[in-house]
Amino acid sequence: MVAAAVLAGGMVLGGYVMGDGLRRAREADRAVTVRGLAEREVTADLATWTIAYSATAPDLAGAQATVDRNSEQIRAFFSGLGFPADALQPTGVNVQTITEDGVTRFTVRQRMTLRTGDIARAQDAVRRQFDLVRRGVMLEEGSGMAYTFTRLNAIKPPMVAEATRDARRSAEQFAKDSGTGVGGIRSATQGYFEVTARDGDGGGGWGVSDTPYKKVRVVTTIEFYLR
C-alpha cells in the first residue's frame, strides 16, 4: 500500500511538473515582432566642394597657362570670402589631345577641392559661385557642393534607445488589444542608419548645391515576449 501511494504521488507530481513545463513552453512561444522608428534632424558639419574646370588650346603650354590663370582666380575667390589658403587643394589633373582634320588641340582639365567645417561660409560661397564664371572660370559638370554629417556615432546610442521605446509602445498596443502583456526582448535587429536631405532631393550635381540640413533615420525590428 505504501509503495502504491508513493508511486501514485510520484505520478501526480510528475504530471504537474510536465504540465507546468508545457505551460511555460507555450508562454515562451508567445511573442510579437514589431518595428521601432527614430528620426532626428541634424546640420552637416563638413562641406566639400570639388570644382572642375578646363581649357583647350592648339598647344599644351597655352592650355596649361589658361588653367593656371583659372586656378589663381579660384584661389582669389575663396580668399576673398575669408577661407584660409589650405582649405583649397588641387585634387587631380588630366591632359587630353584631340586631332581633327590634321589639327591637334590640347585640353587640360583640373580639379580643386574646398574642404571646410564653416558651413555658413560654404553656403555663401555657393550663392556667389557665378562670380567664378565672371572671372572666366568655366565650371564643368561635377562642380557641386556636398555637405556631410560626420558625428553619426555620437547620436547612434540615443537613437537606438528611442527606436526601442517606439517598438515597445507598438508591442504594448498589440498586447492591450489581444488581452496580454509585454515581457522582455526575445530578439532584436538594428537596421542601418540612413542620412538624407531634410527637405527632399539633396542635389549636389552640376550647378546644384547639396543641403546641409539632413534627416537621420533608423528602424529597429524587435521581438517581445507576451505574457
Side-chain angles (χ1 to χ4, degrees):
M1 294 293 293
V2 174
V6 171
L7 178 60
M11 292 177 64
V12 171
L13 179 62
Y16 170 78
V17 171
M18 180 177 295
D20 187 61
L22 291 173
R23 178 184 60 80
R24 291 197 302 269
R26 286 195 298 269
E27 289 180 351
D29 286 337
R30 297 173 62 192
V32 59
T33 301
V34 292
R35 290 185 178 180
L37 169 67
E39 291 182 331
R40 184 171 297 191
E41 292 184 2
V42 299
T43 300
D45 57 305
L46 175 64
T48 306
W49 189 2
T50 299
I51 301 172
Y53 52 104
S54 66
T56 300
D59 57 275
L60 179 59
Q64 185 62 61
T66 300
V67 166
D68 289 343
R69 286 194 297 272
N70 289 343
S71 298
E72 290 303 316
Q73 291 296 330
I74 292 171
R75 292 187 184 279
F77 169 75
F78 284 107
S79 176
L81 293 176
F83 289 98
D86 60 358
L88 194 66
Q89 298 293 332
T91 54
V93 64
N94 174 267
V95 179
Q96 183 180 21
T97 60
I98 299 177
T99 301
E100 293 181 351
D101 299 327
V103 178
T104 300
R105 297 179 65 82
F106 295 82
T107 298
V108 177
R109 287 186 170 86
Q110 187 158 318
R111 289 178 181 267
M112 297 188 74
T113 299
L114 172 77
R115 184 181 176 89
T116 179
D118 192 336
I119 302 302
R121 200 179 298 274
Q123 289 179 284
D124 186 40
V126 171
R127 285 191 291 267
R128 303 187 183 192
Q129 63 180 307
F130 198 73
D131 289 349
L132 286 172
V133 179
R134 293 190 181 98
R135 291 169 180 259
V137 180
M138 297 184 63
L139 300 178
E140 293 191 336
E141 185 175 2
S143 299
M145 181 76 80
Y147 295 98
T148 307
F149 179 68
T150 67
R151 299 192 299 271
L152 185 59
N153 286 337
I155 65 173
K156 276 184 177 181
M159 287 193 66
V160 170
E162 182 182 343
T164 301
R165 289 192 295 269
D166 183 59
R168 180 172 285 276
R169 284 192 294 268
S170 298
E172 288 172 346
Q173 183 61 53
F174 176 88
K176 180 180 178 180
D177 295 341
S178 59
T180 59
V182 178
I185 294 176
R186 184 177 186 179
S187 64
T189 302
Q190 175 193 305
Y192 67 92
F193 279 79
E194 182 182 24
V195 182
T196 59
R198 185 191 65 185
D199 302 315
D201 185 10
W206 188 15
V208 181
S209 174
D210 187 12
T211 172
Y213 307 111
K214 307 292 185 180
K215 180 183 290 186
V216 182
R217 184 176 189 268
V218 64
V219 177
T220 60
T221 302
I222 302 179
E223 186 178 19
F224 290 96
Y225 286 109
L226 295 178
R227 57 173 184 250

